Amino acid sequence: MSQEQRYQQAMNRGHTAAWDQEWDRAASFYSQALQESPKDPKALSNLALAFLNLQEFEKALQHYLLAAEVAPKDPLPLEKAATLYKQMGRAKEASKLSDRAAQFYLSEKNPDKAIENWSRAIASDFENLQAHTRLALVYERMGRKPQAVREYLHMASLLQHAGQQEKAFESIDRALGVDPDNEKAQQAQAMLRSGKLLPKPSRPGGQTGPLGGIELPKQPQLSVPEQPEQSQLDPIEEAQQEALASLARLFFEQSDEDDAQTSSPGDQPVVDGDAPIFAKKADRAKIMHHLGLVVELQTQGDKEQAAEELKGAVHAGLNMPAAYFSLGFIQAQTDRQESAVRNLQRSLPHADFALGSRLLLGDIWYQRSKYTEAAERYLEALRSADAQVVSPQHADELRELYEPLIDALSREKDQERQKQLCENVAELLVRPNWRTHIKDARRQLGDQDNGSSPTPLAEVLIEASSSGVVVAMGTVRSLARAGHQGAALEEILFALQRAPMYLPLHIILGDLLVSKDRLAEASEKFRVIARSYSSRGESRRAIDMLRRVVDMVPMDLASRQQLIDYMVSFGEIDEAIEEYLKLAEVHYSMAEMEKVRDVYAQALGLAPQSTNPTKEQVRVLHHIADIETQSLNWRKASELYKQICELRPDDGVAYRNAVTLLFNLGKPEQALKSMDQFITHMLEKGENDAVIQFLEQLASDQPEQAMIHYRLARLYERTGNITGAVKSYDIAGELLLEAGDKSAGAEMIQRIIQMNPPGVEKYKALLEAL
């Protein structure tokens, strides 16, 4: 088993253990993966996650910081580390890392995540002027004037307290430039002019001064986010409970505010980001009156009148997803379906109500025998529920896998099939403890055992006549694990009679063939499955199947080429380049050097499309140059290494090989020039140790080159290593004297004498003799 295969196996086992919440085992497997690939950011982050769940917070922090170090442009480890620092009471470090994460998110054109992290930076360190500044600029560019003004006012306060009066005035001017009529900015300007101190930014939930407090998102808890506990409510009832709780909170919070009627639009409460919950001309007193009646009527069980009061609140200017969902929920129960559909559509975008809204909409369309619309809503609901119970790293991928299924369903002509799907999804989801049932169904699928892409539960419900196929799959896997291969094969063939087009069943059949060492048949089965997935537009899953083929049969060149083609078409350029390099290794093992060159050329052609073009170009060029060196095409290899050095001036390996080849080609002047380019570049960066190591390796490779020893001696002397300098000057001088260059040899001896090392008398005598 190769190093990469050992790494992947350990990662897959770690994922399985994490899925089962066996964090000790997960940590052990992820540690094994790190032994195979010590600087792999995924393994580091997953191990940190395991330590987090084991309550070993220092170790978790250590590994998140290592992940951030090896993947310096990935903001996620920085976020995680910042959260840990915050929980440990190390606010300054937390604020610093949140600030860095925000900058990376902004460079990725993800301003929402940048704002979230700068808000966390401020939550950790309320006087972080840099975070306030960047947050203000982002808000201003996004046209979010109230938030931009707020941050500029906070900056003015911090600057004034720091004694920077002129800069404080500049911040006030920026605020007024964003919103000239903003009363708070005008008030702050008047306070500054009169010499009064502006109030500092306050903590969320604390008392605020005249300029208001900072609105921050809720800080994540230290433990890893978990699925909600088992509930006796179904998803629709859960959403209604959350909606009523949100409405009640709004009623009681607003009732306690003295300035509810007079606050400016920039101060009003927000939900779902920064969307105001009150319309511009809302009658808040009337809204609060209606909400009070809603709360009272709901407790009395008078749903119809509660709906009327809630509708009155909406008409008075309440713009809140919780209100729309609750209104739609009541209207759906009281046969006012047209109104229910309108309100449920408005609650769909909010995460808390998306699942419940889709299930209600599906039920409404089902009752009206509009099975196409009903099936689409039910399938969207299943996508949302399914993604909630898989691990976070698989959730986005799983949602994507639902897209072709929903698209195909919209073109389905068989009404009975659509009707059956609606009933299957409703049976699975609209029940108490629904998360547990979905997890059980996913466990039966078992698609996380091999680390492949997750299988949408929808595939079972679409392809099979009932959810019994899931049970059959679980039975097959149990029999296979117990060693009853014959019984497992019989069970799966029986299941295929009920769902012959259900590809996960064929995958299990392929797994059984592998367990019986029938690799040729298994690889052919996986190739057929890959073609089926490809024809359905599911390229990612076709890729998973072909990966299994080439792992089993590395010499299957056709499958590997097909895998590369799928990867390129799906946009997985980095992975395609990796497969090209493996394909080149196969050709190299068969001494097919021209084919090796052709494959490397194709990989090089893809490099500009990769996520890191320079890195991939350099990597492929190293392989090509190595092949040319082995083939004794030194001139070609030298040109390739020169190209690498231009792309990456700090690539010591490329410079070392380039210098060696130039000496071999009888071009010492060019060799020394190339060597000096690297030395100058690295010394300017302060990388003395890297230059010393580079010269030591070259001196070992080219022991007869006096000028290499001379440069090494100069650097030893510069860094205070007198012993090393004397030794290298001595070697350089001896080589120069042997070459007949007495003047240069004498210069080496003079340099040794100037350092006055122990035994200097023998060098003085030698110089006198010369």
Side-chain angles (χ1 to χ4, degrees), residues 334-381:
T334 53
D335 292 327
R336 286 184 282 178
Q337 294 184 341
E338 292 291 346
S339 298
V341 168
R342 285 196 300 271
N343 285 299
L344 291 170
Q345 292 284 7
R346 299 187 71 176
S347 66
L348 264 179
H350 196 285
D352 288 341
F353 310 114
L355 176 56
S357 297
R358 289 190 170 98
L359 288 171
L360 279 173
L361 287 168
D363 183 56
I364 290 171
W365 295 125
Y366 181 86
Q367 292 179 40
R368 299 169 74 173
S369 299
K370 293 188 175 182
Y371 299 124
T372 300
E373 293 87 343
E376 287 183 24
R377 297 294 85 76
Y378 272 121
L379 203 52
E380 290 169 354

Tab-separated table of all heavy atoms in Angstrom, residues 334-381:
chain	number	residue	atom	x	y	z
A	334	THR	N	-56.407	25.929	8.406
A	334	THR	CA	-57.792	26.412	8.375
A	334	THR	C	-58.301	26.548	6.941
A	334	THR	O	-59.203	27.328	6.661
A	334	THR	CB	-57.881	27.769	9.105
A	334	THR	OG1	-56.916	28.674	8.555
A	334	THR	CG2	-57.619	27.593	10.588
A	335	ASP	N	-57.693	25.761	6.035
A	335	ASP	CA	-58.151	25.657	4.642
A	335	ASP	C	-58.095	26.976	3.873
A	335	ASP	O	-58.847	27.170	2.907
A	335	ASP	CB	-59.587	25.098	4.586
A	335	ASP	CG	-59.633	23.644	5.026
A	335	ASP	OD1	-58.641	22.936	4.768
A	335	ASP	OD2	-60.630	23.236	5.624
A	336	ARG	N	-57.204	27.892	4.263
A	336	ARG	CA	-57.001	29.105	3.468
A	336	ARG	C	-55.668	28.936	2.727
A	336	ARG	O	-54.669	29.586	3.036
A	336	ARG	CB	-57.016	30.339	4.363
A	336	ARG	CG	-58.422	30.688	4.849
A	336	ARG	CD	-58.437	31.959	5.657
A	336	ARG	NE	-57.953	31.731	7.010
A	336	ARG	CZ	-57.814	32.693	7.929
A	336	ARG	NH1	-58.128	33.942	7.619
A	336	ARG	NH2	-57.387	32.418	9.137
A	337	GLN	N	-55.708	28.018	1.756
A	337	GLN	CA	-54.458	27.555	1.168
A	337	GLN	C	-53.782	28.599	0.284
A	337	GLN	O	-52.551	28.692	0.261
A	337	GLN	CB	-54.708	26.263	0.384
A	337	GLN	CG	-55.112	25.098	1.292
A	337	GLN	CD	-55.266	23.804	0.534
A	337	GLN	OE1	-55.420	23.793	-0.679
A	337	GLN	NE2	-55.217	22.698	1.250
A	338	GLU	N	-54.548	29.385	-0.455
A	338	GLU	CA	-53.936	30.397	-1.316
A	338	GLU	C	-53.126	31.394	-0.486
A	338	GLU	O	-51.992	31.744	-0.820
A	338	GLU	CB	-55.021	31.136	-2.119
A	338	GLU	CG	-55.729	30.288	-3.158
A	338	GLU	CD	-54.822	29.917	-4.322
A	338	GLU	OE1	-53.739	30.536	-4.460
A	338	GLU	OE2	-55.177	29.007	-5.086
A	339	SER	N	-53.729	31.854	0.597
A	339	SER	CA	-53.018	32.793	1.480
A	339	SER	C	-51.826	32.109	2.136
A	339	SER	O	-50.754	32.713	2.305
A	339	SER	CB	-53.977	33.324	2.552
A	339	SER	OG	-55.050	34.031	1.969
A	340	ALA	N	-52.016	30.840	2.511
A	340	ALA	CA	-50.920	30.093	3.140
A	340	ALA	C	-49.721	30.004	2.207
A	340	ALA	O	-48.565	30.200	2.627
A	340	ALA	CB	-51.395	28.698	3.531
A	341	VAL	N	-49.963	29.704	0.937
A	341	VAL	CA	-48.868	29.580	-0.030
A	341	VAL	C	-48.099	30.898	-0.132
A	341	VAL	O	-46.861	30.911	-0.124
A	341	VAL	CB	-49.413	29.163	-1.415
A	341	VAL	CG1	-48.328	29.318	-2.488
A	341	VAL	CG2	-49.910	27.728	-1.370
A	342	ARG	N	-48.807	32.025	-0.204
A	342	ARG	CA	-48.131	33.330	-0.320
A	342	ARG	C	-47.221	33.588	0.885
A	342	ARG	O	-46.082	34.030	0.731
A	342	ARG	CB	-49.168	34.446	-0.450
A	342	ARG	CG	-49.829	34.533	-1.817
A	342	ARG	CD	-50.546	35.876	-1.991
A	342	ARG	NE	-51.586	36.057	-0.984
A	342	ARG	CZ	-52.850	35.655	-1.141
A	342	ARG	NH1	-53.214	35.023	-2.246
A	342	ARG	NH2	-53.751	35.878	-0.193
A	343	ASN	N	-47.734	33.319	2.075
A	343	ASN	CA	-46.931	33.603	3.273
A	343	ASN	C	-45.790	32.615	3.457
A	343	ASN	O	-44.688	32.998	3.889
A	343	ASN	CB	-47.847	33.602	4.505
A	343	ASN	CG	-48.699	34.861	4.577
A	343	ASN	OD1	-48.188	35.966	4.668
A	343	ASN	ND2	-50.011	34.687	4.509
A	344	LEU	N	-46.022	31.355	3.138
A	344	LEU	CA	-44.948	30.360	3.275
A	344	LEU	C	-43.827	30.634	2.278
A	344	LEU	O	-42.644	30.404	2.590
A	344	LEU	CB	-45.508	28.957	3.080
A	344	LEU	CG	-46.440	28.472	4.203
A	344	LEU	CD1	-47.131	27.172	3.813
A	344	LEU	CD2	-45.664	28.287	5.511
A	345	GLN	N	-44.158	31.136	1.091
A	345	GLN	CA	-43.114	31.498	0.127
A	345	GLN	C	-42.220	32.599	0.689
A	345	GLN	O	-41.013	32.630	0.440
A	345	GLN	CB	-43.756	31.979	-1.190
A	345	GLN	CG	-44.488	30.899	-1.976
A	345	GLN	CD	-43.543	29.954	-2.715
A	345	GLN	OE1	-42.332	30.026	-2.550
A	345	GLN	NE2	-44.108	29.083	-3.525
A	346	ARG	N	-42.790	33.501	1.479
A	346	ARG	CA	-42.012	34.609	2.049
A	346	ARG	C	-41.148	34.150	3.224
A	346	ARG	O	-40.156	34.814	3.561
A	346	ARG	CB	-42.950	35.730	2.492
A	346	ARG	CG	-43.760	36.325	1.351
A	346	ARG	CD	-44.546	37.542	1.769
A	346	ARG	NE	-43.673	38.694	2.015
A	346	ARG	CZ	-44.115	39.906	2.326
A	346	ARG	NH1	-45.422	40.123	2.439
A	346	ARG	NH2	-43.269	40.900	2.536
A	347	SER	N	-41.502	33.060	3.864
A	347	SER	CA	-40.690	32.556	4.979
A	347	SER	C	-39.611	31.582	4.515
A	347	SER	O	-38.712	31.239	5.288
A	347	SER	CB	-41.576	31.879	6.026
A	347	SER	OG	-42.180	30.708	5.503
A	348	LEU	N	-39.683	31.139	3.253
A	348	LEU	CA	-38.734	30.143	2.732
A	348	LEU	C	-37.263	30.540	2.872
A	348	LEU	O	-36.433	29.698	3.232
A	348	LEU	CB	-39.031	29.865	1.253
A	348	LEU	CG	-39.909	28.653	0.924
A	348	LEU	CD1	-40.113	28.561	-0.577
A	348	LEU	CD2	-39.274	27.386	1.432
A	349	PRO	N	-36.869	31.799	2.579
A	349	PRO	CA	-35.440	32.119	2.604
A	349	PRO	C	-34.787	32.023	3.979
A	349	PRO	O	-33.562	31.972	4.074
A	349	PRO	CB	-35.401	33.575	2.087
A	349	PRO	CG	-36.669	33.747	1.338
A	349	PRO	CD	-37.670	32.927	2.062
A	350	HIS	N	-35.565	32.033	5.053
A	350	HIS	CA	-34.977	32.001	6.396
A	350	HIS	C	-34.685	30.561	6.801
A	350	HIS	O	-35.549	29.687	6.721
A	350	HIS	CB	-35.923	32.662	7.396
A	350	HIS	CG	-35.258	33.012	8.684
A	350	HIS	ND1	-34.938	32.076	9.627
A	350	HIS	CD2	-34.817	34.204	9.177
A	350	HIS	CE1	-34.354	32.664	10.657
A	350	HIS	NE2	-34.266	33.960	10.402
A	351	ALA	N	-33.458	30.320	7.280
A	351	ALA	CA	-33.016	28.957	7.581
A	351	ALA	C	-33.899	28.270	8.618
A	351	ALA	O	-34.126	27.057	8.540
A	351	ALA	CB	-31.565	28.984	8.062
A	352	ASP	N	-34.395	29.031	9.609
A	352	ASP	CA	-35.193	28.407	10.666
A	352	ASP	C	-36.534	27.876	10.165
A	352	ASP	O	-37.136	26.997	10.802
A	352	ASP	CB	-35.462	29.418	11.790
A	352	ASP	CG	-34.219	29.716	12.605
A	352	ASP	OD1	-33.273	28.909	12.541
A	352	ASP	OD2	-34.179	30.760	13.273
A	353	PHE	N	-37.003	28.399	9.036
A	353	PHE	CA	-38.353	28.051	8.581
A	353	PHE	C	-38.370	27.404	7.194
A	353	PHE	O	-39.441	27.066	6.700
A	353	PHE	CB	-39.232	29.312	8.572
A	353	PHE	CG	-39.171	30.077	9.862
A	353	PHE	CD1	-38.612	31.342	9.916
A	353	PHE	CD2	-39.622	29.508	11.045
A	353	PHE	CE1	-38.527	32.035	11.108
A	353	PHE	CE2	-39.540	30.195	12.243
A	353	PHE	CZ	-38.990	31.462	12.284
A	354	ALA	N	-37.189	27.222	6.571
A	354	ALA	CA	-37.140	26.673	5.214
A	354	ALA	C	-37.710	25.259	5.160
A	354	ALA	O	-38.529	24.936	4.289
A	354	ALA	CB	-35.707	26.690	4.698
A	355	LEU	N	-37.297	24.397	6.083
A	355	LEU	CA	-37.746	23.009	6.057
A	355	LEU	C	-39.247	22.915	6.310
A	355	LEU	O	-39.985	22.263	5.559
A	355	LEU	CB	-36.972	22.188	7.096
A	355	LEU	CG	-37.390	20.722	7.251
A	355	LEU	CD1	-37.312	19.987	5.926
A	355	LEU	CD2	-36.493	20.037	8.294
A	356	GLY	N	-39.723	23.570	7.350
A	356	GLY	CA	-41.144	23.539	7.664
A	356	GLY	C	-41.985	24.131	6.548
A	356	GLY	O	-43.063	23.599	6.213
A	357	SER	N	-41.518	25.222	5.937
A	357	SER	CA	-42.263	25.865	4.849
A	357	SER	C	-42.394	24.926	3.654
A	357	SER	O	-43.467	24.809	3.045
A	357	SER	CB	-41.565	27.161	4.415
A	357	SER	OG	-41.542	28.104	5.456
A	358	ARG	N	-41.312	24.249	3.299
A	358	ARG	CA	-41.362	23.344	2.135
A	358	ARG	C	-42.283	22.156	2.388
A	358	ARG	O	-42.999	21.716	1.483
A	358	ARG	CB	-39.948	22.874	1.798
A	358	ARG	CG	-39.084	23.978	1.191
A	358	ARG	CD	-37.779	23.447	0.632
A	358	ARG	NE	-37.104	24.484	-0.144
A	358	ARG	CZ	-36.132	25.257	0.307
A	358	ARG	NH1	-35.709	25.119	1.551
A	358	ARG	NH2	-35.586	26.176	-0.463
A	359	LEU	N	-42.252	21.634	3.604
A	359	LEU	CA	-43.140	20.507	3.908
A	359	LEU	C	-44.603	20.947	3.850
A	359	LEU	O	-45.468	20.204	3.339
A	359	LEU	CB	-42.802	19.927	5.278
A	359	LEU	CG	-41.491	19.141	5.357
A	359	LEU	CD1	-41.154	18.797	6.803
A	359	LEU	CD2	-41.568	17.868	4.521
A	360	LEU	N	-44.903	22.109	4.372
A	360	LEU	CA	-46.281	22.606	4.305
A	360	LEU	C	-46.711	22.868	2.866
A	360	LEU	O	-47.831	22.509	2.458
A	360	LEU	CB	-46.417	23.896	5.126
A	360	LEU	CG	-46.583	23.723	6.643
A	360	LEU	CD1	-46.525	25.078	7.329
A	360	LEU	CD2	-47.894	23.028	6.962
A	361	LEU	N	-45.823	23.469	2.079
A	361	LEU	CA	-46.152	23.722	0.676
A	361	LEU	C	-46.351	22.416	-0.080
A	361	LEU	O	-47.272	22.285	-0.904
A	361	LEU	CB	-45.040	24.547	0.020
A	361	LEU	CG	-44.977	26.028	0.433
A	361	LEU	CD1	-43.679	26.659	-0.044
A	361	LEU	CD2	-46.166	26.791	-0.136
A	362	GLY	N	-45.497	21.434	0.201
A	362	GLY	CA	-45.656	20.133	-0.436
A	362	GLY	C	-46.994	19.512	-0.103
A	362	GLY	O	-47.680	18.949	-0.973
A	363	ASP	N	-47.393	19.601	1.159
A	363	ASP	CA	-48.673	19.033	1.581
A	363	ASP	C	-49.847	19.757	0.909
A	363	ASP	O	-50.831	19.118	0.490
A	363	ASP	CB	-48.792	19.123	3.098
A	363	ASP	CG	-50.072	18.475	3.604
A	363	ASP	OD1	-50.298	17.284	3.313
A	363	ASP	OD2	-50.859	19.172	4.276
A	364	ILE	N	-49.754	21.076	0.789
A	364	ILE	CA	-50.830	21.838	0.137
A	364	ILE	C	-50.994	21.398	-1.318
A	364	ILE	O	-52.102	21.123	-1.790
A	364	ILE	CB	-50.544	23.349	0.230
A	364	ILE	CG1	-50.699	23.830	1.682
A	364	ILE	CG2	-51.472	24.133	-0.688
A	364	ILE	CD1	-50.238	25.255	1.900
A	365	TRP	N	-49.872	21.318	-2.056
A	365	TRP	CA	-49.958	20.900	-3.453
A	365	TRP	C	-50.426	19.458	-3.572
A	365	TRP	O	-51.155	19.116	-4.518
A	365	TRP	CB	-48.603	21.092	-4.139
A	365	TRP	CG	-48.150	22.520	-4.263
A	365	TRP	CD1	-46.970	23.034	-3.829
A	365	TRP	CD2	-48.868	23.607	-4.844
A	365	TRP	NE1	-46.900	24.364	-4.085
A	365	TRP	CE2	-48.066	24.762	-4.718
A	365	TRP	CE3	-50.122	23.742	-5.437
A	365	TRP	CZ2	-48.449	26.009	-5.174
A	365	TRP	CZ3	-50.512	24.990	-5.895
A	365	TRP	CH2	-49.698	26.097	-5.773
A	366	TYR	N	-50.007	18.601	-2.629
A	366	TYR	CA	-50.437	17.195	-2.666
A	366	TYR	C	-51.947	17.104	-2.500
A	366	TYR	O	-52.623	16.348	-3.212
A	366	TYR	CB	-49.721	16.415	-1.559
A	366	TYR	CG	-50.076	14.939	-1.514
A	366	TYR	CD1	-49.401	14.019	-2.305
A	366	TYR	CD2	-51.098	14.483	-0.686
A	366	TYR	CE1	-49.723	12.667	-2.268
A	366	TYR	CE2	-51.431	13.138	-0.640
A	366	TYR	CZ	-50.740	12.236	-1.434
A	366	TYR	OH	-51.077	10.903	-1.398
A	367	GLN	N	-52.494	17.858	-1.534
A	367	GLN	CA	-53.938	17.834	-1.321
A	367	GLN	C	-54.703	18.321	-2.547
A	367	GLN	O	-55.839	17.913	-2.781
A	367	GLN	CB	-54.296	18.695	-0.109
A	367	GLN	CG	-53.815	18.135	1.224
A	367	GLN	CD	-54.171	19.053	2.370
A	367	GLN	OE1	-55.257	19.623	2.401
A	367	GLN	NE2	-53.251	19.193	3.330
A	368	ARG	N	-54.057	19.187	-3.333
A	368	ARG	CA	-54.725	19.719	-4.528
A	368	ARG	C	-54.396	18.891	-5.778
A	368	ARG	O	-54.673	19.307	-6.894
A	368	ARG	CB	-54.317	21.179	-4.722
A	368	ARG	CG	-54.720	22.047	-3.532
A	368	ARG	CD	-54.111	23.422	-3.548
A	368	ARG	NE	-54.718	24.295	-4.545
A	368	ARG	CZ	-54.446	25.600	-4.655
A	368	ARG	NH1	-53.585	26.153	-3.817
A	368	ARG	NH2	-55.035	26.327	-5.576
A	369	SER	N	-53.767	17.701	-5.555
A	369	SER	CA	-53.419	16.750	-6.628
A	369	SER	C	-52.445	17.333	-7.648
A	369	SER	O	-52.370	16.863	-8.779
A	369	SER	CB	-54.697	16.265	-7.337
A	369	SER	OG	-55.540	15.600	-6.420
A	370	LYS	N	-51.689	18.353	-7.245
A	370	LYS	CA	-50.639	18.892	-8.107
A	370	LYS	C	-49.323	18.230	-7.695
A	370	LYS	O	-48.497	18.804	-6.977
A	370	LYS	CB	-50.565	20.414	-7.976
A	370	LYS	CG	-51.804	21.118	-8.518
A	370	LYS	CD	-51.614	22.624	-8.558
A	370	LYS	CE	-52.798	23.307	-9.220
A	370	LYS	NZ	-52.626	24.776	-9.331
A	371	TYR	N	-49.158	16.971	-8.169
A	371	TYR	CA	-48.082	16.138	-7.651
A	371	TYR	C	-46.689	16.574	-8.107
A	371	TYR	O	-45.713	16.341	-7.400
A	371	TYR	CB	-48.335	14.670	-8.040
A	371	TYR	CG	-49.630	14.138	-7.469
A	371	TYR	CD1	-50.617	13.599	-8.293
A	371	TYR	CD2	-49.877	14.196	-6.096
A	371	TYR	CE1	-51.799	13.114	-7.763
A	371	TYR	CE2	-51.067	13.719	-5.557
A	371	TYR	CZ	-52.027	13.184	-6.396
A	371	TYR	OH	-53.192	12.725	-5.877
A	372	THR	N	-46.590	17.214	-9.279
A	372	THR	CA	-45.275	17.692	-9.722
A	372	THR	C	-44.749	18.766	-8.775
A	372	THR	O	-43.614	18.698	-8.284
A	372	THR	CB	-45.360	18.253	-11.152
A	372	THR	OG1	-45.812	17.227	-12.033
A	372	THR	CG2	-43.988	18.751	-11.612
A	373	GLU	N	-45.598	19.782	-8.488
A	373	GLU	CA	-45.203	20.841	-7.557
A	373	GLU	C	-44.965	20.279	-6.156
A	373	GLU	O	-44.005	20.664	-5.470
A	373	GLU	CB	-46.267	21.945	-7.505
A	373	GLU	CG	-46.420	22.735	-8.799
A	373	GLU	CD	-47.395	22.090	-9.766
A	373	GLU	OE1	-47.714	20.884	-9.584
A	373	GLU	OE2	-47.848	22.774	-10.699
A	374	ALA	N	-45.832	19.370	-5.746
A	374	ALA	CA	-45.703	18.780	-4.408
A	374	ALA	C	-44.391	18.000	-4.281
A	374	ALA	O	-43.660	18.130	-3.290
A	374	ALA	CB	-46.890	17.865	-4.126
A	375	ALA	N	-44.079	17.193	-5.303
A	375	ALA	CA	-42.863	16.369	-5.245
A	375	ALA	C	-41.612	17.248	-5.200
A	375	ALA	O	-40.649	16.936	-4.488
A	375	ALA	CB	-42.813	15.434	-6.448
A	376	GLU	N	-41.622	18.353	-5.957
A	376	GLU	CA	-40.463	19.251	-5.935
A	376	GLU	C	-40.258	19.847	-4.545
A	376	GLU	O	-39.136	19.915	-4.039
A	376	GLU	CB	-40.645	20.365	-6.966
A	376	GLU	CG	-40.476	19.903	-8.406
A	376	GLU	CD	-40.586	21.044	-9.382
A	376	GLU	OE1	-40.333	22.204	-8.972
A	376	GLU	OE2	-40.919	20.807	-10.553
A	377	ARG	N	-41.345	20.309	-3.911
A	377	ARG	CA	-41.217	20.887	-2.571
A	377	ARG	C	-40.759	19.832	-1.572
A	377	ARG	O	-39.919	20.093	-0.705
A	377	ARG	CB	-42.558	21.489	-2.119
A	377	ARG	CG	-43.098	22.641	-2.937
A	377	ARG	CD	-42.246	23.896	-2.852
A	377	ARG	NE	-41.145	23.880	-3.804
A	377	ARG	CZ	-41.275	24.097	-5.101
A	377	ARG	NH1	-42.460	24.361	-5.620
A	377	ARG	NH2	-40.221	24.078	-5.891
A	378	TYR	N	-41.325	18.619	-1.658
A	378	TYR	CA	-40.931	17.560	-0.735
A	378	TYR	C	-39.463	17.188	-0.931
A	378	TYR	O	-38.734	16.939	0.047
A	378	TYR	CB	-41.808	16.323	-0.930
A	378	TYR	CG	-43.076	16.339	-0.100
A	378	TYR	CD1	-44.333	16.279	-0.700
A	378	TYR	CD2	-43.025	16.394	1.291
A	378	TYR	CE1	-45.501	16.295	0.055
A	378	TYR	CE2	-44.180	16.408	2.067
A	378	TYR	CZ	-45.411	16.358	1.443
A	378	TYR	OH	-46.555	16.369	2.205
A	379	LEU	N	-39.025	17.149	-2.187
A	379	LEU	CA	-37.628	16.801	-2.440
A	379	LEU	C	-36.694	17.904	-1.935
A	379	LEU	O	-35.615	17.622	-1.401
A	379	LEU	CB	-37.416	16.579	-3.946
A	379	LEU	CG	-36.213	15.715	-4.346
A	379	LEU	CD1	-36.236	14.392	-3.596
A	379	LEU	CD2	-36.216	15.462	-5.846
A	380	GLU	N	-37.094	19.161	-2.091
A	380	GLU	CA	-36.296	20.262	-1.527
A	380	GLU	C	-36.244	20.173	-0.001
A	380	GLU	O	-35.217	20.461	0.615
A	380	GLU	CB	-36.897	21.607	-1.959
A	380	GLU	CG	-36.709	21.915	-3.439
A	380	GLU	CD	-37.543	23.106	-3.886
A	380	GLU	OE1	-38.344	23.612	-3.054
A	380	GLU	OE2	-37.407	23.528	-5.044
A	381	ALA	N	-37.358	19.775	0.603
A	381	ALA	CA	-37.388	19.603	2.061
A	381	ALA	C	-36.446	18.483	2.480
A	381	ALA	O	-35.707	18.608	3.467
A	381	ALA	CB	-38.813	19.301	2.521
